[in-house]
Amino acid sequence: MADHKTLRTQNISDALEDAFKNNNLVVLTGNTDDIFFNGETNTRIELVLASKAAEHGMPTVRYSLAGGASAVVAQEGLAVRRLPQVAPEDSPTISIDEIFQAMEQEGRPCLLVVDWADGLLPCSGANASTYETSRIMEQFESRAVNYEFQASGHRIVLISRAGSIDQRLLAMDGVATIDVSLPGETERRGAIERWLIHQEHPLFLEGSLAPDRLARAAGGMSLDSISRMRYSSTADKPLTMKTVLAEKRKVIARLAGDSLLVLDEARTFDEVAGLHNVKAYVNNQIGIGETSLRLILAGPPGTGKNTVAIAIAHALDAVPVLLQSPLSKWVGESEQNMANVFKIVESCGRVLLIIDEADQGLLSKRADSATSESSSVYPSLRGMIMSKTGDTGAPSELSILALTNNPGGLDAAIRSRMIVLPVLEASSPGDRAHIMELKATEKGVTLENGAAHAASTTFGQPIDGRQIQLILNSARVSAHRRGSATVVASDIEHALKRTHCVFGLTEQKASMEAVLFTLPDDYMPWTAAWRAGITDYVPPTYLLPFIDMGTGDVDRDKLHTHILDLRQAGY
């Protein structure tokens, strides 16, 4: 039975020791040019192998197409007595045969390291194998299962650098595959601690970026990528979290291609107005050490779901990535695309995977008839996503955030596996004023101090962020007509009177459904606002009949009945 191990789950030395003991041929795949061994980073892997071979009294020979045959001598290691005369221009099959003959004549067990083996052997997915590559695979296969070769103590290691070696070889008895994956958090922390005290090129970190935090945030990055950042860090210009996340975005974008859109934005909770319940939930989870979240933000359009999503990623020290459609017209490719998405994001440490318009696609309510979905890939894709939403606090550092204007359109199983938080329109004068001030700052508009709050107190209708943007634009026109570049309260009040803010029954139903599905009541918008000391927060008028204003609790039965009436009426 072929053996497959993930290298980072155990010390590389133990993995190779086990492979040498039980197998003739070892295949190293994955991140083979970036390892952490015996306290050193970015070590040439052939030296690591030679060091391990030296512990067994074995000399090491390295072969590659470009370099031919050469001896690799580790510290306190042994050199081969007779190095085969193999030149790079020689035929690989002839060269490999000559190397095997030299190993047999050595009189002691030898280790053969074949570098860039993916250039010599047939690769998975290739249309056809050439005579040369097939012959080379036969050379290795014959020795992998040869008892006499095993008894002689010789071992072979194939290093795959860029391609994927044919699965027929990897699946054979006598072959062990070790996947050199990206470094884990413990390994990253060990490397960072060494770089902090490096004599020639020490790593300088800004005060808020502790080594543990950097080790967590750098998930998905190679040691070499992390190491390169230290060369640009100085005591006067230390490494910042912003720089780390910018580099991590590049890594994810390179790996993901069109399947994920890396959102190159940065925003903190201080730059988000209102939404006190979302901030409270995320901060509470971080406070108890929980950073793998499963969230649904539900509410009408324009209430800030996409805006706060970026701030959630910032709070988690995560990179926000938007899931693009994985659908393909080819059979099985949609599922493969989705599997690749999860492979990428789960290998990259802290990532916030955002699924927008969740009710319109992968997470939508399943069809009433199983037959109507039988020819669709949606059930299998939905199942793949559901397998990642089983529990908050899963071992991976992946967080999943679904955004929807229609929480009732989500699959019930998805809602039951994730926390639903309502994202409603700005209800308090303070929140409305804060949104306007933030948008004014984004647009470079000068507001008179206190103007936004003064005008907001005179307007009691529900209003969302997009409508506030329209009001601000209208107020700028009013100020311009006065010959002023500064918007004052009267300009905003004039704009409020002339702007028709529509928040109809369809939007109200979306808000009601978001509230209906929210558990516990501690994270209702009004409850969270009151806990935050915002005493002027009043729930939207259309929700007041269903709320106990003494406790903030919601009469869900009464609310559900009203939602059914709205649906019956066509909303």
Side-chain angles (χ1 to χ4, degrees), residues 127-278:
N127 292 328
S129 303
T130 66
Y131 170 80
E132 185 83 357
T133 58
S134 298
R135 174 75 178 86
I136 294 170
M137 187 165 78
E138 182 182 343
Q139 287 176 295
F140 291 131
E141 283 179 339
S142 63
R143 284 165 176 82
V145 296
N146 187 290
Y147 176 77
E148 291 182 0
F149 187 84
Q150 183 179 35
S152 69
H154 298 307
R155 292 294 180 267
I156 305 169
V157 174
L158 308 182
I159 303 176
S160 172
R161 297 283 186 178
S164 177
I165 292 177
D166 196 302
Q167 292 295 316
R168 291 173 296 175
L169 177 63
L170 302 184
M172 291 192 63
D173 290 342
V175 177
T177 303
I178 300 177
D179 182 16
V180 187
S181 60
L182 288 162
E185 184 176 329
T186 301
E187 187 172 349
R188 295 194 298 270
R189 187 184 301 111
I192 290 166
E193 290 171 352
R194 281 182 169 268
W195 292 329
L196 288 170
I197 58 174
H198 197 278
Q199 293 297 315
E200 295 181 8
H201 299 289
L203 172 64
F204 294 93
L205 303 179
E206 70 168 348
S208 62
L209 186 55
D212 283 354
R213 187 183 178 201
L214 173 57
R216 289 193 301 270
M221 298 175 66
S222 67
L223 294 174
D224 183 60
S225 298
I226 305 170
S227 178
R228 288 175 185 272
M229 292 189 290
R230 68 186 164 113
Y231 290 100
S232 60
S233 72
T234 64
D236 296 329
K237 191 179 178 182
L239 182 65
T240 65
M241 178 59 75
K242 182 179 179 180
T243 301
V244 175
L245 293 181
E247 289 299 317
K248 188 168 173 176
R249 286 187 180 95
K250 295 177 184 177
V251 171
I252 297 175
R254 184 176 66 250
L255 294 173
D258 295 333
S259 59
L260 295 171
L261 176 63
V262 180
L263 302 179
D264 191 14
E265 299 179 55
R267 183 178 289 108
T268 68
F269 278 147
D270 290 338
E271 298 171 289
V272 176
L275 306 187
H276 310 285
N277 57 329
V278 178

Side-chain angles (χ1 to χ4, degrees), residues 77-131:
L78 303 171
V80 290
R81 299 188 181 101
R82 180 180 180 275
L83 184 66
Q85 298 302 309
V86 175
E89 60 271 16
D90 291 344
S91 165
T93 53
I94 295 175
S95 298
I96 292 169
D97 276 337
E98 291 181 354
I99 292 172
F100 282 139
Q101 290 174 12
M103 290 170 63
E104 292 167 1
Q105 295 171 7
E106 181 69 21
R108 55 184 171 179
C110 297
L111 172 66
L112 170 60
V113 176
V114 181
D115 208 350
W116 292 93
D118 38 332
L120 290 166
L121 294 165
C123 292
S124 297
N127 292 328
S129 303
T130 66
Y131 170 80

Side-chain angles (χ1 to χ4, degrees), residues 14-29:
D14 293 341
L16 290 172
E17 181 71 33
D18 182 59
F20 285 165
K21 185 184 302 181
N22 299 308
N23 300 275
N24 294 330
L25 193 149
V26 177
V27 180
L28 297 182
T29 64

Side-chain angles (χ1 to χ4, degrees), residues 452-493:
H453 193 276
S456 295
T457 57
T458 66
F459 191 77
Q461 297 181 33
I463 187 170
D464 62 40
R466 291 175 185 167
Q467 292 168 342
I468 289 176
Q469 179 66 67
L470 294 175
I471 291 166
L472 180 61
N473 290 340
S474 180
R476 291 176 67 189
V477 172
S478 179
H480 178 70
R481 288 173 177 168
R482 291 189 297 101
S484 174
T486 301
V487 174
V488 299
S490 59
D491 295 321
I492 301 173
E493 290 169 2

